[in-house]
Amino acid sequence: MTSTATPLPERLRDRDLLRDAAFVNGQWIGAASTFEVRDPATGDPLAVLPSLGAEDARQAIAQAKAALPAWRALSALERSRILRHWADLVRENADDLATILTSEQGKPWGEARGEVVYSAQFLDWFAEEGRRVDGSVIPSHTPDARIIVIKQPIGVAAGITPWNLPAAMITRKAAPALAAGCTIVMKPAEQTPLTALALTRLAERAGVPAGVLNMVTSGDAVPIGAEFTGNPTVRKLSFTGSTEVGKILMQQAAANIQKLSLELGGNSPFIVFDDADIAQAVEGVVSAKFRNAGQICTGANRVLVQRGILEEFSAALRARAERVRVGNGFEQGVEMGPLIDQAGLEKVERHVADLVDQGGRVLTGARRSPLGHTFYEPTVIADVGTGTLPWQDEETFGPVASLTPFDDEDEAIEMANATEYGLVAYVYTHDVGRVWRVSEGIETGMVAINSGRVSNEQAPFGGWKQSGLGREGSSYGIDDWLELKYINLAGLSR
Ligand code: ADP
């Protein structure tokens, strides 16, 4: 980690990781038009990248199709070795990748480095899972036949990723795709393409063949999304981003009945029961609300606190929030960076204004940071009513913890479920019976008990309701990239 004043290339051990081109069929390519990537902490330009269009995306899809037969024909072990090599290179270059990531995304450097290592874990995990893609033999209703079930790669896939986890969201899709024997064309978020391109450079060095992994950069996502969904060669689209865009893509994908994995928004409840360890619950909120400045789909959007501990919990959270050090992610000891852009900042301000207008009591924050740009202060607001924006199914996507009291378990479950989303719920209690009742009563894909985190490569990440379709990570995560085929093997009698 070096001074924030040093230009990005000079901060890197290996400047070759900083790419200014898209990657299609093993070639680094430019385009007639370009777009700029900026550092959210300073507003300074970092890079100018090619803005590819629909025709470029079509070419990339054609190349992925051409690369498919040879990639699919490799043994799972051969694909696994390449993925492992890629994982090793990601770990060896973790410092540089973290520096690129913090520069374009803003999160603290240590957190960025953690994300880079986490992104390598998806490569390792799916290098292993790819080798365990097996099938089954089912007894038939006729004695002279057997029913055989095999799994095959789905084919050419596409991926669209967001800016909040610029490394992990790339490998969480590319690793299972490649392990399963698919080829893929990806479009990283326009705010954070440099991390994706650096990872791609390492994939190239690891021996991923030309056309197998393609990275299409663009300042205009719409024509790329239209091509990804409208092109019949693309058999599957995996998207992580907003529910709003997820719905658009799902409508577009209907034309070809394209298979979809969608990791969309959440409106996560964070429930603190009166038997909870308050210090632990406060740290949980810090993790689930202030990490990445609240810009995570698993962010705690509604903190529900049992009335008996409301005062004590609020005071402890306020004191902790006031200690969260905000600053440029390259400075030592910084716990929270800037928001990604002006639009993100304005959304947070709109939410805070609404919370206050509707009777919310500001315990701390609720204003822009004196650091300027898109920095916002860690905020805690109490007495939040259920008519406010976070309760009306909007993710704040910022460092605003809004507290609402509840009286009993049934009420907590009902309030937690009062949303169209169903990604994750956080629950703090030490009562084992309650752990089961609440976990089973809540309509989400994930429940975190006494923890502010749920994401890891071993577990199935994904949501219920409008939070999405499919699962990423875990042994279930590879299924989204495979098709089942049943073979009726008859005529076995002599
Ligand atoms: P956010 O609001 O957090 O940026 P988005 O859902 O807008 O979330 O963005 C997530 C990803 O989806 C980004 O890569 C973005 O470029 C892409 N995207 C946005 N709109 C579209 C669209 N209409 N079609 C395809 N991709 C899109």
Side-chain angles (χ1 to χ4, degrees):
M1 186 161 58
T2 50
S3 152
T4 55
T6 317
L8 175 56
E10 288 166 37
R11 289 188 221 172
L12 302 177
R13 192 179 52 118
D14 181 355
R15 288 189 196 188
D16 179 55
L17 294 180
L18 196 59
R19 312 303 300 171
D20 60 1
F23 189 70
V24 174
N25 195 30
Q27 305 292 318
W28 293 92
I29 60 165
S33 56
T34 57
F35 69 105
E36 206 171 47
V37 184
R38 288 181 175 271
D39 179 340
T42 61
D44 294 342
L46 286 172
V48 175
L49 289 181
S51 186
L52 273 58
E55 177 54 35
D56 304 302
R58 201 169 307 141
Q59 292 290 334
I61 291 164
Q63 299 298 347
K65 184 180 180 188
L68 181 66
W71 181 248
R72 191 172 48 190
L74 288 183
S75 72
L77 180 60
E78 286 168 305
R79 288 195 297 266
S80 169
R81 285 200 182 112
I82 294 173
L83 288 173
R84 278 183 187 286
H85 190 189
W86 187 9
D88 289 340
L89 293 178
V90 171
R91 271 186 290 267
E92 281 165 26
N93 290 279
D95 286 359
D96 277 352
L97 289 165
T99 299
I100 293 170
L101 201 163
T102 293
S103 297
E104 64 179 352
Q105 203 274 344
K107 68 176 67 174
W109 189 85
E111 193 179 316
R113 199 178 185 290
E115 185 193 328
V116 167
V117 171
Y118 172 50
S119 74
Q121 281 157 209
F122 281 110
L123 297 170
D124 273 338
W125 178 268
F126 284 107
E128 293 160 16
E129 284 307 306
R131 300 182 61 200
R132 291 191 252 287
V133 173
D134 53 18
S136 59
V137 181
I138 303 171
S140 172
H141 66 289
T142 55
D144 74 332
R146 301 289 180 274
I147 291 168
I148 301 165
V149 181
I150 61 170
K151 295 178 185 173
Q152 292 179 289
I154 208 162
V156 174
I160 298 178
T161 56
W163 49 263
N164 58 349
L165 292 151
M169 294 305 102
I170 295 288
T171 58
R172 198 159 81 171
K173 298 187 191 308
L178 268 51
C182 300
T183 57
I184 190 166
V185 182
M186 303 190 79
K187 190 204 80 64
E190 53 274 29
Q191 297 91 336
T192 58
L194 298 174
T195 306
L197 294 172
L199 287 169
T200 305
R201 182 59 153 176
L202 295 174
E204 189 186 9
R205 286 187 200 165
V208 173
V212 170
L213 172 71
N214 305 276
M215 206 56 70
V216 171
T217 55
S218 183
D220 184 2
V222 176
I224 307 287
E227 185 63 30
F228 281 3
T229 47
N231 188 322
T233 299
V234 180
R235 297 291 169 78
K236 182 212 168 63
L237 171 68
S238 177
F239 169 76
T240 299
S242 60
T243 296
E244 187 191 347
V245 172
K247 286 180 183 176
I248 295 172
L249 293 169
M250 198 169 179
Q251 267 164 358
Q252 292 176 182
N256 291 320
I257 316 287
Q258 188 180 55
K259 299 216 162 29
L260 287 173
S261 293
L262 302 172
E263 298 289 356
L264 308 176
N267 185 349
S268 305
F270 190 108
I271 309 171
V272 190
F273 284 100
D274 57 12
D275 67 319
D277 178 325
I278 289 190
Q280 214 179 51
V282 164
E283 283 312 315
V285 175
V286 171
S287 172
K289 185 74 265 190
F290 298 133
R291 184 162 49 92
N292 207 2
Q295 305 170 114
I296 41 175
C297 52
T298 51
N301 212 42
R302 300 170 292 143
V303 182
L304 309 178
V305 188
Q306 200 158 13
R307 211 173 290 275
I309 54 159
L310 190 57
E311 281 306 305
E312 192 187 347
F313 179 81
S314 310
L317 181 60
R318 173 196 178 159
R320 180 65 180 86
E322 286 174 348
R323 286 204 313 277
V324 171
R325 206 173 129 210
V326 181
N328 188 307
F330 285 108
E331 282 165 28
Q332 286 287 349
V334 160
E335 221 174 338
M336 198 178 99
L339 292 164
I340 189 72
D341 55 21
Q342 203 61 29
L345 179 66
E346 281 162 17
K347 183 171 192 191
V348 169
E349 289 191 315
R350 191 162 57 81
H351 273 221
V352 168
D354 177 69
L355 291 168
V356 172
D357 280 354
Q358 298 203 46
R361 189 161 46 90
V362 175
L363 300 186
T364 187
R367 58 178 175 236
R368 292 184 185 200
S369 154
L371 294 167
H373 297 293
T374 54
F375 287 98
Y376 199 83
E377 290 193 359
T379 297
V380 182
I381 301 182
D383 303 341
V384 168
T386 55
T388 54
L389 286 177
W391 282 86
Q392 297 306 307
D393 274 340
E394 266 210 57
E395 280 184 291
T396 306
F397 238 61
V400 181
S402 59
L403 313 186
T404 306
F406 69 90
D407 288 304
D408 61 31
E409 199 178 296
D410 289 342
E411 190 189 11
I413 294 174
E414 200 181 313
M415 288 168 81
N417 287 339
T419 165
E420 291 305 321
Y421 293 99
L423 192 58
V424 55
Y426 302 91
V427 181
Y428 277 73
T429 177
H430 284 100
D431 176 331
V432 178
R434 175 178 279 162
V435 165
W436 277 102
R437 289 190 301 273
V438 176
S439 297
E440 291 181 354
I442 281 184
E443 298 167 339
T444 59
M446 301 174 284
V447 179
I449 307 292
N450 298 320
S451 167
R453 302 187 80 133
V454 280
S455 308
N456 58 67
E457 74 279 12
Q458 303 95 330
F461 186 103
W464 287 19
K465 303 194 307 194
Q466 293 193 23
S467 288
L469 296 174
R471 291 295 180 273
E472 290 190 321
S474 83
S475 54
Y476 302 100
I478 202 153
D479 291 342
D480 279 22
W481 304 87
L482 296 164
E483 283 279 24
L484 282 184
K485 183 179 285 166
Y486 137 56
I487 301 165
N488 184 20
L489 181 61
L492 300 180
S493 307
R494 280 203 279 174

